[in-house]
Amino acid sequence: VENTMDAHILEQHEIFELLPTHGKVVTLDADLPMKHALAALASHGATCLPVWDSALQRFVDVFSCTDLVDIVLFAHRALAGAGAPPAAGAAAGDAQTALERCHLRDLHGLKRPRPAGFLMASVDDSMLHGALMLKQHALECLPIGDSACSSSLLHLLLPEQLLAFLATLPELRTSHGPLLEEPVGKALLPLCRQPQTVRRDASLLEALGLLSAERLHALPVLDASGALFDVLSSRDVRQLASNPATDLAIPLEEALRSLPPKDSRVQTCAISDTVATAITRLADPEAAQLVCLNDAGAVCAVVTASAVLAALLPSSPPHHG
């Protein structure tokens, strides 16, 4: 396949190589109150955590930052439907109370676009198999067990971890030097969705609504001139949701001020940057995504590790004769 990485590179490596030498998988119980699940995401700096059903004695779901966006909106709408008091402080407190009444089982009521069943790969599977599962099912993470149908979970594989591993392989540059030197605008932008953006004077509620409705991981925030001002990502919602005083009606700009400095959260690339440059930047665990800017400085895409993997991977598993 033209412009895709030789699948044999990833076929020669097992997922086992990606497992951390030490570390634990934090697991959430399906009957856990949502506020504890939220605290776990925030305190462990996690983007995804697996959900275990004690009654069924198996893993049933993955709780992610994307779900968190939906849950915050779900609690807000439930509150609005019940006729929330007009006072902003009281409404914020009531939204937090509504959030605390939810359990992880309530995730199933969110009608999320997820594949049926709990998808899992084995440590013995090839990295190609894992990468294709991530791509074909549009997964935020891939649970890894000691077998593909195990009750023992060893790791949650993120697309950026695969990308970071690829970035270290000398054979990638040997076999795909031309693709790596292609500009982002040519090689990656066709695989990225049309960017959704929001103005800095929009409300936090409006921005979260866009993240949820469009299933986005990040939303570039523009100033009055249309230039990039900041980014709101689903990861940021961990912090916003854990603050009981957060009122969704507040201006987005005010909400962003409560987050870590934007220098650490806003990572960019230019359409003229090479694919290799994008891979190096996305391999940094702090870079959840790259906001791609055109020559005039306008936002033209949000590039994620998943999009880069999609560019590198074959469109279907290789067939062995």
Side-chain angles (χ1 to χ4, degrees):
V1 182
E2 191 182 355
N3 262 18
T4 56
M5 181 178 53
D6 185 353
H8 295 295
I9 295 177
L10 281 181
E11 268 193 308
Q12 289 162 5
H13 295 275
E14 290 185 348
I15 290 174
F16 181 79
E17 295 174 56
L18 296 170
L19 264 59
T21 46
H22 52 81
K24 57 182 181 180
V25 178
V26 178
T27 301
L28 306 175
D29 192 275
D31 292 313
L32 193 68
M34 198 64 76
K35 65 174 179 179
H36 295 314
L38 164 66
L41 271 184
S43 64
H44 294 282
T47 54
C48 305
L49 292 174
V51 180
W52 173 264
D53 190 315
S54 299
L56 298 174
Q57 284 293 295
R58 62 181 173 85
F59 288 101
V60 291
D61 213 335
V62 172
F63 178 52
S64 72
C65 291
T66 310
D67 294 324
L68 195 52
V69 177
D70 292 341
I71 289 156
V72 170
L73 289 169
F74 172 78
H76 177 83
R77 287 173 189 139
L79 196 66
D94 285 357
Q96 192 71 11
T97 307
L99 200 58
E100 288 175 5
R101 287 199 199 107
C102 297
H103 285 71
L104 274 178
R105 289 190 190 279
D106 298 331
L107 284 176
H108 298 297
L110 293 173
K111 298 186 173 61
R112 299 172 300 156
R114 288 277 171 87
F118 184 79
L119 293 176
M120 196 170 183
S122 161
V123 285
D124 299 326
D125 287 330
S126 72
M127 286 189 200
L128 177 64
H129 176 78
L132 287 171
M133 279 187 78
L134 281 166
K135 177 184 174 182
Q136 287 165 357
H137 299 286
L139 300 175
E140 290 181 70
C141 67
L142 178 63
I144 308 298
D146 50 16
S147 70
C149 53
S150 170
S151 60
S152 166
L153 196 58
L154 304 175
H155 187 54
L156 289 179
L157 178 63
L158 301 170
E160 49 265 38
Q161 290 171 322
L162 255 178
L163 207 55
F165 178 82
L166 283 174
T168 67
L169 292 180
E171 58 260 51
L172 181 65
R173 184 160 292 282
T174 308
S175 66
H176 280 76
L179 172 62
L180 296 180
E181 294 310 315
E182 277 196 5
V184 165
K186 179 183 175 187
L188 298 181
L189 255 56
L191 297 167
C192 298
R193 295 165 57 180
Q194 279 292 105
Q196 298 279 342
T197 59
V198 68
R199 290 273 293 267
R200 65 194 276 187
D201 56 2
S203 70
L204 175 58
L205 178 62
E206 190 181 332
L208 292 178
L210 255 176
L211 277 176
S212 175
E214 300 292 333
R215 312 309 299 169
L216 303 171
H217 292 300
L219 189 60
V221 181
L222 309 183
D223 65 18
S225 70
L228 181 66
F229 169 71
D230 206 327
V231 170
L232 177 71
S233 75
S234 55
R235 293 183 184 191
D236 297 328
V237 180
R238 285 180 306 210
Q239 190 159 336
L240 296 173
S242 59
N243 178 3
T246 301
D247 173 16
L248 301 194
I250 63 171
L252 177 57
E253 188 174 353
E254 187 181 324
L256 291 167
R257 278 200 291 268
S258 69
L259 297 172
K262 63 181 174 186
D263 290 351
S264 65
R265 293 182 299 104
V266 182
Q267 310 274 348
T268 63
C269 68
I271 54 171
S272 56
D273 284 339
T274 63
V275 171
T277 300
I279 289 175
T280 303
R281 288 184 193 164
L282 284 168
D284 177 353
E286 293 302 307
Q289 63 280 314
L290 299 176
V291 180
C292 186
L293 305 175
N294 66 17
D295 296 335
V299 173
C300 53
V302 174
V303 179
T304 62
S306 296
V308 179
L309 278 178
L312 294 173
L313 288 168
S315 54
S316 59
H319 296 289
H320 300 286

